[in-house]
Amino acid sequence: MSTNYGTIARNGIWDNNVVFGQLLALCPLLAVTGTATNGLGMGLASTAVMIGSGFAVSVLRKIITPEIRIPAFVLLIATLVTVVDLAMNAWLHDLHKMLGLFIPLIVTNCAILGRAESFASRQSPLAASFDGLMMGLGFTLALVALGAVREILGSGTLFANAALLLGPSFGFLEITVIPDYQGFLLLILPPGGFIALGVLLALKAMVDSRSRAGGQRVENPQVEKVFTAAGVLSRDAQAGEQA
């Protein structure tokens, strides 16, 4: 069975985005995105689990019987989340403390189990791993975008404490966007997460609407040519019958 990796990438990052397309994983999305740094850390952890679960489910799809597939998928995902949780506690301890309970709760992310059931269990390991990567990147993009909006408008910074939470190599991400900014507390609090998410969803809907409208404008001239040609042929046929 042929696999269109371009379509997989577009679905994961934009068309079928975990947040903007499916409205899944909203609990960690709204809880940890007070800053873009937290969103990036949570997104990378989720991406690692998505890649690993897609690969594992695809490899074991012929061994796992249909009757126990869901419990088996959950067990695989829980195992991978435990590994990621322990790894973050060992090497990214400050970020691990910041994200807290939401790392183990990756197990309950419906998007991971959904992709395991609908895609990975029917595809090759390479395609399943790539799908996990694209879905994870799309989720990370949503987390970082929402965190960036809330952080910039809420405190005037971007990727604050990146060097502390992600490591010294991420220090270049720290930016003061609005100097001497007093901050807007509402955007950092949970209600601000709902407001910012609503704005981002509206912007994506606007982009999709304009994209579809643009596609229709491109296709309309071709349609008009077809109908024009059909009309010419019809007139020629009528002229032939009269003759």
Side-chain angles (χ1 to χ4, degrees):
M1 182 172 55
S2 61
T3 303
N4 190 330
Y5 288 94
T7 300
I8 293 175
R10 180 178 176 84
N11 284 336
I13 294 176
W14 187 261
D15 291 342
N16 202 27
N17 185 280
V18 172
V19 175
F20 300 137
Q22 304 179 62
L23 291 179
L24 297 176
L26 297 185
C27 179
L29 176 82
L30 297 172
V32 306
T33 53
T35 67
T37 303
N38 292 348
L40 179 60
M42 188 68 183
L44 293 178
S46 301
T47 300
V49 174
M50 288 184 177
I51 296 172
S53 63
F55 178 81
V57 168
S58 179
V59 169
L60 299 175
R61 69 186 188 280
K62 295 182 180 179
I63 300 175
I64 299 174
T65 59
E67 293 77 11
I68 63 167
R69 69 186 188 284
I70 300 300
F73 294 167
V74 173
L75 179 61
L76 288 172
I77 295 170
T79 301
L80 291 168
V81 171
T82 302
V83 172
V84 170
D85 186 31
L86 294 174
M88 291 183 68
N89 192 18
W91 291 298
L92 297 171
H93 185 64
D94 292 325
L95 180 62
H96 182 271
K97 289 194 301 182
M98 183 67 67
L99 298 179
L101 182 64
F102 291 100
I103 300 175
L105 285 178
I106 294 175
V107 177
T108 64
N109 191 331
C110 298
I112 301 177
L113 180 60
R115 295 312 293 177
E117 167 67 13
S118 64
F119 191 89
S121 61
R122 297 173 173 81
Q123 299 290 336
S124 66
L126 179 60
S129 300
F130 185 75
D131 178 74
L133 173 63
M134 292 298 105
M135 283 289 170
L137 291 179
F139 184 47
T140 302
L141 175 64
L143 286 166
V144 173
L146 184 60
V149 170
R150 296 178 65 186
E151 183 179 358
I152 292 173
L153 298 180
S155 57
T157 61
L158 183 62
F159 289 105
N161 300 320
L164 176 63
L165 298 178
L166 300 175
S169 58
F170 287 87
F172 72 95
L173 293 175
E174 298 180 8
I175 302 173
T176 300
V177 180
I178 309 175
D180 301 324
Y181 182 55
Q182 297 299 319
F184 187 35
L185 184 59
L186 176 64
L187 267 298
I188 302 177
L189 295 176
F194 284 97
I195 295 171
L197 177 60
V199 172
L200 291 178
L201 288 172
L203 289 175
K204 182 181 183 298
M206 185 183 303
V207 171
D208 289 339
S209 177
R210 291 186 176 182
S211 177
R212 288 192 295 267
Q216 291 174 359
R217 285 195 295 269
V218 171
E219 293 173 1
N220 283 341
Q222 302 298 329
V223 174
E224 291 176 0
K225 290 180 181 179
V226 172
F227 281 109
T228 300
V232 171
L233 292 175
S234 177
R235 287 195 298 271
D236 291 344
Q238 293 175 0
E241 291 177 359
Q242 292 175 357

